[in-house]
Amino acid sequence: MIAHEAATPAAEHGAAPTEAAFRAVYGAAPAGIWAAPGRVNLIGEHTDYNDGFVMPLALPHTTIAAVTPRTDGVLRLHSGNAEGGIVELRIDTLRPAPDGDRPAPDGRWAAYPAGVVWAMREAGLPVGGADLHVDSTVPTGAGLSSSAALEVVTALALNDLYALGLTPQRLARLTQRAENAFVGVPCGIMDQTAAACCTAGHALFLDTRDLRSRQVPFDVAAQGLRLLVVDTRVKHELGDGAYAERRAGCERGARALGVPALRDVPHAQLADALATLPDTPDMPDTRALVRHIVTENHRVEEVVAHLDAGDIRAIGPLLTAGHASLRDDFAISCAELDLAVDTALAAGAVGARMTGGGFGGSAIVLVDEAAADTVSAAVTAAFAAAGHAAPRIFTAVPGPGARRLA
Ligand code: GLA
């Protein structure tokens, strides 16, 4: 049995099938075709809404959009991945409130592209209607940012079609606004920036305070290593309140410490900061949230230093320490993620951690090339023994960010 699958061939299906599907749905050729990737985050979890550091890389899995502008203010949305046919909306009636012309539950996916149109128009940008068809190979609910891929591919298409001239950073901010205010998920800026700004062969070292970033070479294969993604198939749902609760807890911590954001607490002053915090029965515990954010920002900086020194293997223990912090202090892991991480490490992985928002989704495992099959098989066997659904395991090779294909 093949315990893992190569991501690249299955991950990207190219522009032609999406162009053909657009023609079949709308009866004409699209004006253009664009792509935006899913992501995994190497390190820096839940730091993005604390003005901190993150380090995502783009997956070869992409969302591809074929789009044509319209002059009549109508927005037609169709997905090769969803049932329900064309969702048709009028752009001047798009509202984030439930009483607006928000897509019905059976067209929930359509809230993402519709939200992007809404956010652009709300920002005063001259965006009109469009016909859009999307196909995606980014797994949904797997913590791999399928939502951001859909938002960013829509924004990039509109940016080109309506000649808006926006930078990738501006597209990231607008798509985050769409997700926060229109879809109603209080996410940070990492996923949208990853989809917009990542480049092949690199991880993106991003300062979420000002969106300054640096492409850091991340060629694991050249060092005899491999980065596996273990999709636990436990669906995560960021809108369920636990994410918002963590976010509110971090803001409470920053207020109590008198800093604009937890990013402003230096790692060297963590003990003092924790001692300053009052004892209150907060759930989740504010001290533990602060400890995670401050140590996690420090881990990102340590990972960057190792990668700059050309030593990918050295980041393994930092990944594993990041998992312990997310599990014990931030309290957002789950049995399946812990099992994937513990089993991979016991089978010889160099490092492993959950990635993304938590409560399910995916883990990443850094492993010697020679041990990749053994580690994958051990994780698969452990899931079977525990009665969990079989995980989907694939190799992550950093792919390109959002781009025009045709
Ligand atoms: C989700 C959010 C991101 C980020 C991560 C956790 O993916 O969309 O903004 O907060 O969780 O690092």
Side-chain angles (χ1 to χ4, degrees):
M1 195 182 84
I2 300 174
H4 62 268
E5 57 190 273
T8 314
E12 164 99 68
H13 48 47
T18 301
E19 169 158 30
F22 184 98
R23 281 177 194 272
V25 172
Y26 297 114
I33 301 183
W34 293 261
R39 63 99 188 93
V40 284
N41 188 22
L42 194 57
I43 190 82
E45 221 65 87
H46 286 259
T47 45
D48 65 348
Y49 52 81
N50 291 289
D51 279 3
F53 303 122
V54 295
M55 205 165 190
L57 50 100
L59 291 172
H61 302 74
T62 49
T63 298
I64 299 183
V67 191
T68 291
R70 294 177 66 105
T71 53
D72 60 358
V74 169
L75 181 62
R76 294 198 293 174
L77 305 167
H78 187 265
S79 168
N81 299 77
E83 307 277 310
I86 296 174
V87 177
E88 185 163 331
L89 305 159
R90 286 207 52 85
I91 58 170
D92 53 6
T93 62
L94 294 173
R95 301 276 182 279
D99 59 349
D101 199 354
R102 206 167 170 181
D106 62 343
R108 209 185 128 59
W109 73 273
Y112 296 93
V116 171
V117 174
W118 170 82
M120 286 181 149
R121 287 172 55 80
E122 193 214 30
L125 296 164
V127 170
D131 285 343
L132 170 145
H133 169 81
V134 287
D135 292 307
S136 184
T137 57
V138 186
T140 56
L144 302 175
S145 294
S146 59
S147 312
L150 177 54
E151 291 156 357
V152 169
V153 80
T154 304
L156 186 64
L158 296 172
N159 185 45
D160 284 357
L161 292 172
Y162 285 99
L164 304 176
L166 304 174
T167 62
Q169 289 77 8
R170 185 83 200 286
L171 293 179
R173 294 263 190 228
L174 284 165
T175 50
Q176 183 201 17
R177 168 108 183 106
E179 183 146 352
N180 290 168
F182 193 90
V183 182
V185 176
C187 64
I189 191 72
M190 169 169 70
D191 304 340
Q192 291 79 7
T193 311
C197 300
C198 280
T199 59
H202 297 89
L204 183 77
F205 176 35
L206 173 70
D207 182 339
T208 64
R209 174 159 272 169
D210 56 13
L211 296 195
R212 269 197 269 188
S213 67
R214 181 156 68 82
Q215 305 287 345
V216 180
F218 190 65
D219 186 353
V220 280
Q223 300 197 13
L225 294 164
R226 202 191 274 213
L227 188 69
L228 299 175
V229 177
V230 180
D231 172 7
T232 64
R233 300 202 188 235
V234 179
K235 291 269 173 191
H236 81 141
E237 179 51 77
L238 289 184
D240 71 355
Y243 183 95
E245 221 170 65
R246 300 300 182 288
R247 189 169 179 153
C250 289
E251 284 160 10
R252 198 166 56 227
R255 266 196 312 277
L257 293 168
V259 290
L262 291 183
R263 182 278 178 59
D264 298 302
V265 179
H267 185 250
Q269 286 166 28
L270 176 60
D272 288 350
L274 294 178
T276 310
L277 286 170
D279 283 315
T280 48
D282 300 325
M283 285 304 290
D285 177 52
T286 308
R287 272 204 187 94
L289 296 178
V290 170
R291 186 163 51 223
H292 167 72
I293 297 301
V294 175
T295 58
E296 184 78 348
N297 274 326
H298 189 60
R299 279 186 288 273
V300 179
E301 293 186 294
E302 290 186 295
V303 163
V304 173
H306 286 307
L307 295 183
D308 283 343
D311 188 356
I312 296 180
R313 176 177 298 272
I315 75 172
L318 292 163
L319 302 185
T320 305
H323 184 77
S325 182
L326 289 162
R327 181 192 60 210
D328 302 338
D329 276 346
F330 225 64
I332 57 165
S333 190
C334 65
E336 291 84 350
L337 286 168
D338 290 344
L339 184 64
V341 167
D342 293 346
T343 307
L345 292 170
V350 175
R353 61 180 286 269
M354 54 154 283
T355 186
F359 309 105
S362 298
I364 52 171
V365 176
L366 185 66
V367 63
D368 280 305
E369 176 62 49
D373 284 350
T374 314
V375 167
S376 296
V379 172
T380 302
F383 270 55
H388 301 322
R392 179 169 173 268
I393 305 179
F394 61 90
T395 301
V397 178
R403 61 214 179 269
R404 186 169 191 158
L405 298 181

